[in-house]
Amino acid sequence: MGGEELEITIKNLSITGVLAELNNSGENTEVRDIFNNLLASTLIDFYLPEMRLAGEVEVSRVDLLNNHIFLALEFKTVAYDIDNLLYKRKAYRKHMPGPGQILLNKKYREFNAVNVSVEGLMIRLDEIIAVEEGAITLFKFPQLELEGEIKIVWVDYSDNCGTLIGLQYMHMGKTLVKGIPRFAPPQTA
């Protein structure tokens, strides 16, 4: 929220959302900071590793009780079973469709992004095109102002969907992927 990863404790869970308490909310976070962040956007990214859920939620309510901040969060985009995916992703991926270009077989081809992480992105080409896993090529993704070298990690072909490609960033013109959280594991003492 507000470009910062905050730890939460789930107090209540339903099929449509969760009630979460901000951890250490009495120490580092003030209610006015939460409200200021929500003025920019009520949609926030979430990651619940114990439940294997990730995605976006909308903050529908913020309450202060006994100096603890509680957030009522409504699920918007949810990925289930995230640690058991076919491609064994290592980082949180945010659903972010958008156009871009990738250099394949000496020709720039248009793609649509499926999702984006701090380590790479998944794209879909409307055509079936033979590409080699492990190859390094160039790409441009204007929506996040990303461009540079990218490695083809995996390829999946489908008759009705074209080519699905998993990509890993190699060398880019910028190092920070704005708007895509890392969701680092909680620190243990």
Side-chain angles (χ1 to χ4, degrees), residues 78-110:
V78 180
Y80 303 93
D81 209 16
I82 57 165
D83 295 327
N84 196 23
L85 289 172
L86 177 62
Y87 303 111
K88 296 294 183 192
R89 297 174 182 145
K90 298 176 185 172
Y92 167 75
R93 292 195 166 248
K94 183 172 183 172
H95 177 73
M96 185 173 282
Q101 295 181 325
I102 186 167
L103 183 64
L104 297 172
N105 302 330
K106 299 180 183 180
K107 179 181 175 185
Y108 271 100
R109 301 180 189 275
E110 300 293 322

Side-chain angles (χ1 to χ4, degrees), residues 10-155:
I10 302 301
K11 295 297 185 177
N12 193 343
L13 174 71
S14 76
I15 201 161
T16 60
V18 297
L19 176 63
E21 177 185 354
L22 283 181
N23 295 357
N24 303 322
S25 59
E27 299 172 20
N28 301 328
T29 309
E30 293 187 27
V31 175
R32 82 169 161 262
D33 295 334
I34 300 296
F35 284 110
N36 286 337
N37 286 330
L38 294 175
L39 287 175
S41 174
T42 58
L43 278 179
I44 57 176
D45 298 299
F46 78 99
Y47 175 52
L48 305 174
E50 296 84 12
M51 301 178 78
R52 297 164 64 170
L53 296 174
E56 289 181 322
V57 290
E58 184 166 16
V59 179
S60 57
R61 191 178 78 237
V62 178
D63 291 325
L64 181 64
L65 180 65
N66 298 329
N67 210 22
H68 294 273
I69 299 172
F70 292 88
L71 303 171
L73 307 171
E74 181 183 346
F75 295 131
K76 291 299 179 187
T77 306
V78 180
Y80 303 93
D81 209 16
I82 57 165
D83 295 327
N84 196 23
L85 289 172
L86 177 62
Y87 303 111
K88 296 294 183 192
R89 297 174 182 145
K90 298 176 185 172
Y92 167 75
R93 292 195 166 248
K94 183 172 183 172
H95 177 73
M96 185 173 282
Q101 295 181 325
I102 186 167
L103 183 64
L104 297 172
N105 302 330
K106 299 180 183 180
K107 179 181 175 185
Y108 271 100
R109 301 180 189 275
E110 300 293 322
F111 69 75
N112 284 310
V114 176
N115 56 48
V116 182
S117 80
V118 294
E119 295 180 354
L121 62 151
M122 181 192 306
I123 64 170
R124 182 181 317 279
L125 298 163
D126 289 336
E127 59 187 312
I128 294 178
I129 183 166
V131 293
E132 183 180 334
E133 291 180 9
I136 296 176
T137 188
L138 302 175
F139 83 108
K140 296 177 187 175
F141 188 50
Q143 183 172 337
L144 291 178
E145 300 175 2
L146 297 175
E147 64 179 85
E149 289 184 353
I150 201 154
K151 179 180 179 181
I152 298 171
V153 178
W154 55 263
V155 181

